[in-house]
Amino acid sequence: MKSIELPVTNEVGNYEIRLESIGGLGANLCGKMMGELGIQYLGLNSASFSSYGSEKTGTPVKAYIRYCQQDKEIRVHSPITHPHLLGIFHDALMSDASVFSGCTVRTICVINTAIPKEEMIKKYAGVMQAGKVYAVSAQKIAMETHSRINVIMLGAMAKVMGFVSLEMLNQICRDTLGKKYPDALSSNLQGIKRGFEEVVCLYETEGRQSTEMKQDDKGEGQELEWGYETAPIGGINTKYGSSVISDLSPSRQGYIPLFIRDRCINCGLCDSTCPDMVFQFEKGIYKDREMMVNKGLDYYHCKGCLRCVEVCPTQALVKGLEAEHPSKEWFVPNKDLLRNPDYYEKTGSDGYITSESYLTEKRMEGGEV
């Protein structure tokens, strides 16, 4: 097989891809498919592996893929620090700027997001440090096609890479997913096609660099990270592990509990079942009696488990799609935990919305919103 000519490589001749994701979105499988794609259909040498902790939905996952020409060997097997292509499977991951670690003006980034272009640029312009930034609404496409986010991202990343055809993607999908999930093949092929066709450029930042990034002669970025020379005086642990100071909002699966105040009887069942101190009760008056009254939810610490929705006897808490509620009502941060969001330790995002759960009837009276 004739080898595809790689458009750019690093000093050892590798084209490197890093996927930033969380358990449940399929980045591990996507990385394997990209690795097999390089060998079987691009005529390249390739290697791929993933890095993750506990195998459960919502935990951080990274996948790494390397390509090189057939006349070279891949002799590096460490995590990719300076990717030519960066895939971000959940836009909430960008709350932690480290997902862009190692990106340079030569990096192309693809983000799964439904946030409008103007809002995206305004919100994350200081974070998205890459030469070109693309977006695809993979979650929306997955729900519409009954496919998975990973195949939509595969199609979108292949399009911006510039040397992978749609037919190659279809074939690797047939070989990998078609044999294991034959009933889902048609929807996965449709998802790949739409990802390939619907990825759009947010902006190009050629020549633009992060204030925390230096550029060497080869175009490689060198971040200023904590180390011997840059650590705070006294050896302070800057990654202290406490969920109290964690912003759990990126851990949600796309749904949030919505509070309908008029239905609330202040029974406190939501507070007793909530694992994350989300509900804010204060002394107040309810039906002419002094009692503890539900003032709202601390969405910083809500991870979207929806246990409160299940336990609420009056359906004062109902399930809603977070994308439809950018400005959340009854958002009351816990005053005992309140601190500047810049001080929060960011957590990995949770899984993706299934098409089955999304296609439920929307109603206000005693059900989902």
Side-chain angles (χ1 to χ4, degrees):
M1 178 186 297
K2 185 178 179 181
S3 178
I4 296 291
E5 189 69 28
L6 292 169
V8 61
T9 59
N10 59 16
E11 69 278 3
V12 295
N14 294 336
Y15 180 90
E16 301 190 328
I17 304 168
R18 187 173 78 219
L19 308 182
E20 296 276 355
S21 183
I22 44 83
L25 299 186
N28 182 30
L29 178 58
C30 183
K32 290 179 180 178
M33 293 174 67
M34 296 185 80
E36 293 180 9
L37 179 70
I39 294 176
Q40 297 187 35
Y41 300 104
L42 300 178
L44 301 169
N45 289 330
S46 74
S48 66
F49 66 96
S50 298
S51 172
Y52 48 85
S54 57
E55 296 185 61
K56 63 180 181 180
T57 299
T59 55
V61 173
K62 297 177 186 289
Y64 308 100
I65 306 95
R66 285 186 171 92
Y67 294 151
C68 73
Q69 306 295 159
Q70 283 186 333
D71 59 346
K72 297 182 180 296
E73 295 182 352
I74 297 177
R75 303 182 66 86
V76 180
H77 303 285
S78 59
I80 291 170
T81 56
H82 301 295
H84 296 100
L85 175 64
L86 174 68
I88 299 177
F89 279 51
H90 195 309
D91 53 18
L93 287 170
M94 293 192 298
S95 60
D96 184 354
S98 67
V99 297
F100 288 93
S101 174
C103 291
T104 71
V105 294
R106 300 194 305 175
T107 303
I108 300 175
C109 177
V110 179
I111 306 168
N112 165 30
T113 182
I115 301 175
K117 177 179 179 178
E118 295 74 15
E119 183 181 343
M120 191 75 172
I121 294 175
K122 181 179 179 181
K123 186 175 182 179
Y124 293 113
V127 178
M128 296 186 291
Q129 304 298 335
K132 297 180 181 179
V133 180
Y134 292 82
V136 62
S137 185
Q139 193 173 70
K140 175 176 178 291
I141 296 172
M143 292 186 290
E144 292 175 350
T145 60
H146 295 247
S147 58
R148 295 292 302 273
I149 284 178
N150 55 355
V151 296
I152 290 104
M153 287 294 291
L154 177 64
M157 289 187 293
K159 177 64 176 290
V160 304
M161 287 163 69
F163 54 87
V164 181
S165 69
L166 182 58
E167 180 52 40
M168 292 177 182
L169 296 179
N170 290 338
Q171 192 57 50
I172 196 67
C173 182
R174 294 187 188 100
D175 294 345
T176 305
L177 302 178
K179 296 178 181 178
K180 192 172 183 179
Y181 308 107
D183 294 339
L185 178 59
S186 177
S187 59
N188 284 327
L189 291 175
Q190 186 180 359
I192 285 178
K193 183 175 185 293
R194 289 192 57 181
F196 192 87
E197 295 176 347
E198 296 182 25
V199 61
V200 296
C201 183
L202 287 181
Y203 61 75
E204 298 185 12
T205 57
E206 295 291 355
R208 179 170 171 267
Q209 301 173 41
S210 165
T211 56
E212 296 184 352
M213 182 182 295
K214 296 180 180 180
Q215 194 85 354
D216 61 22
D217 294 337
K218 297 180 181 179
E220 299 295 341
Q222 297 175 340
E223 301 79 19
L224 299 179
E225 299 178 345
W226 292 124
Y228 176 77
E229 295 181 350
T230 58
I233 295 176
I236 298 173
N237 181 5
T238 61
K239 295 291 185 181
Y240 35 83
S242 171
S243 62
V244 170
I245 56 168
S246 292
D247 179 0
L248 300 182
S249 58
S251 298
R252 295 192 279 264
Q253 297 186 2
Y255 291 109
I256 56 172
L258 300 177
F259 185 39
I260 304 174
R261 184 68 187 87
D262 295 340
R263 297 181 184 174
C264 183
I265 59 174
N266 301 299
C267 65
L269 285 175
C270 56
D271 189 43
S272 62
T273 196
C274 176
D276 296 304
M277 299 180 292
V278 166
F279 294 92
Q280 307 306 303
F281 280 77
E282 295 180 357
K283 286 184 178 181
I285 303 296
Y286 176 68
K287 291 187 176 181
D288 300 324
R289 295 175 55 191
E290 183 176 324
M291 61 187 301
M292 298 300 287
V293 176
N294 192 349
K295 295 296 184 179
L297 297 77
D298 180 359
Y299 282 105
Y300 281 137
H301 290 88
C302 175
K303 61 187 177 187
C305 68
L306 302 180
R307 295 178 186 175
C308 57
V309 173
E310 297 174 2
V311 78
C312 182
T314 63
Q315 293 169 330
L317 291 160
V318 294
K319 180 172 69 172
L321 189 62
E322 184 170 11
E324 297 178 355
H325 300 275
S327 299
K328 301 172 180 60
E329 294 186 274
W330 306 101
F331 189 167
V332 181
N334 188 328
K335 66 179 183 297
D336 296 324
L337 304 179
L338 182 63
R339 26 174 75 71
N340 189 321
D342 290 342
Y343 294 118
Y344 280 120
E345 292 295 313
K346 304 301 181 181
T347 61
S349 304
D350 211 338
Y352 80 115
I353 302 174
T354 63
S355 54
E356 291 79 13
S357 59
Y358 178 73
L359 296 175
T360 51
E361 180 182 358
K362 292 185 179 181
R363 57 191 189 278
M364 278 293 294
E365 293 301 321
E368 298 175 350
V369 174

